Amino acid sequence: MTSPNWSLVLHGGSGVIDRADLKPEQDRAYRAVLTQAAEAGSAVLRRGDAALDAVEAAIHVLENDPLFNAGRGAVFTAEGCVELDAAIMDGATLEAGAVAGVTHVKNPISAARRVMERSPHVLLIGRGADAFAEAQGLETASAGYFFVEGRWKALERQLAREGKPIPQRPKDADTDERHAALAHDEGKRGTVGVVARDARGHVAAGTSTGGVTGKSWGRVGDSPLIGAGTYASDRSCAVSGTGEGEYFIRLSVARAIAALVELKGLSLQAAVDQVIQTDLEALGGHGGVIAVTPDGQMAWSFNTSGMYRARVADGQALEVSIYKDEP
Ligand code: ASP
């Protein structure tokens, strides 16, 4: 069998996502946006453009949609702000860029890409990263743009449980909640990620997240850390993770999967299952990954009750799934 000319896999976060928890309209809304994101990415690949462009285009759709914990709809810190993390990596060159703790970049994945392409660095954080993105002419957004009522309620519940004070709501909070009201609380977290393989056989990966609800002290998870939540190499595969970042960092999840493919010759599915179902599980962590190889293998694996996910390849139908009992 010849491998497909291009392939794309995406996730919209893993966590507590049980069939019984999602109303039919929520289920439909999530599947619609996952489809839209997969179509945005595959349109780029179908034109013959780079995997990197497909990753960025698909992540924009997910970042701009309030259902996902990335960009608009990101979870709140204990201080009632958003602190966004993102990373992107080009498997052809091993170039990578990332930002952590940005507060007013509309699309953090594009900030990560600018770090990769227009700075000598890999990772910029906080105020400096925001200033860099602005200097690069990237679109900014106010605190109100990112605001989603359901995420705020999740913060209030969490802070009440922890006996911490509830901060003031952002003043210009966007009140159009019709679509955003469909957001499901996956249990503190969520993330979006895309991996792609283009017609030239290059792979790329990108991940974008608000992190975890109620985070403090400048907490940063795995998503913007190359090798932990994001990794891409044409010698092995491209990987994006979602889950308890602290465990993903300790296991270098994304790079560990790439190493199993590159150095041990495991199939992509065997490699993702080894790291998620065996290693992450043994350490007591929860989450999932998506991955793609330069020869067109696509895989996902997660040990949570669900993971928003989709995959599509040249000549193959788009598959969109949410729960564990789906393919
Ligand atoms: N991995 C993300 C983090 O720890 C959260 C998630 O994917 O649910 O920041």
Side-chain angles (χ1 to χ4, degrees):
M1 203 180 88
T2 55
S3 61
N5 204 16
W6 55 263
S7 346
L8 180 135
V9 191
L10 62 83
H11 72 74
S14 65
V16 187
I17 317 172
D18 289 312
R19 202 177 270 282
D21 294 342
L22 257 66
K23 298 191 194 89
E25 60 270 29
Q26 285 180 301
D27 182 292
R28 275 198 300 278
Y30 275 97
R31 286 179 202 268
V33 187
L34 294 168
T35 302
Q36 201 191 326
E39 280 168 359
S42 42
V44 172
L45 297 169
R46 211 172 283 121
R47 285 201 300 269
D49 286 346
L52 212 52
D53 296 324
V55 165
E56 190 180 10
I59 289 186
H60 278 179
V61 173
L62 299 167
E63 284 181 336
N64 294 347
D65 194 289
L67 296 187
F68 299 95
N69 172 18
R72 180 160 186 237
V75 299
F76 291 101
T77 67
E79 291 75 40
C81 313
V82 294
E83 289 179 0
L84 311 170
D85 306 333
I88 196 162
M89 186 161 184
D90 182 358
T93 58
L94 296 189
E95 285 173 355
V99 292
V102 294
T103 56
H104 57 263
V105 180
K106 183 171 175 242
N107 291 112
I109 196 67
S110 295
R113 186 159 181 184
R114 295 294 174 101
V115 172
M116 176 174 85
E117 291 176 342
R118 307 227 185 133
S119 90
H121 309 298
V122 170
L123 173 60
L124 301 181
I125 63 162
R127 280 209 308 272
D130 270 316
F132 170 79
E134 231 174 298
Q136 288 292 317
L138 292 181
E139 198 175 341
T140 58
S142 66
Y145 165 81
F146 296 106
F147 185 91
V148 167
E149 184 68 32
R151 301 288 190 213
W152 189 263
K153 291 267 161 53
L155 174 69
E156 288 183 342
R157 283 195 301 273
Q158 167 135 351
L159 294 178
R161 271 196 304 274
E162 293 172 356
K164 290 186 182 159
I166 313 285
Q168 287 249 308
R169 284 168 177 253
K171 285 198 184 55
D172 58 344
D174 186 340
T175 48
D176 178 7
E177 289 283 327
R178 275 163 304 182
H179 178 62
L182 295 170
H184 169 65
D185 180 8
E186 293 83 29
K188 278 182 70 172
R189 40 189 81 241
T191 286
V192 307
V194 180
V195 294
R197 178 247 185 187
D198 63 30
R200 285 180 214 92
H202 298 311
V203 295
T207 311
S208 181
T209 190
V212 294
T213 303
K215 64 185 181 180
S216 316
W217 308 302
R219 182 267 184 191
V220 175
D222 58 311
S223 309
L225 303 185
I226 299 304
T230 308
Y231 191 74
S233 166
D234 280 2
R235 296 164 70 109
S236 50
C237 55
V239 181
S240 170
T242 163
E244 293 169 328
E246 283 69 14
Y247 291 87
F248 279 60
I249 295 170
R250 290 160 66 201
L251 286 170
S252 302
V253 160
R255 175 62 195 152
I257 291 166
L260 289 173
V261 171
E262 183 180 341
L263 306 175
K264 273 193 137 183
L266 260 59
S267 73
L268 189 64
Q269 191 63 54
V272 295
D273 284 341
Q274 163 74 42
V275 173
I276 298 301
Q277 309 298 339
T278 306
D279 303 346
L280 182 66
E281 182 76 27
L283 206 59
H286 297 97
V289 290
I290 51 166
V292 70
T293 60
D295 68 1
Q297 297 172 60
M298 299 186 284
W300 53 49
S301 190
F302 54 98
N303 68 346
T304 51
S305 63
M307 180 167 83
Y308 303 111
R309 57 200 190 277
R311 63 181 157 203
V312 59
D314 190 19
Q316 290 175 29
L318 169 70
E319 280 178 68
V320 179
S321 324
I322 299 179
Y323 315 106
K324 201 163 199 126
D325 59 9
E326 293 179 274

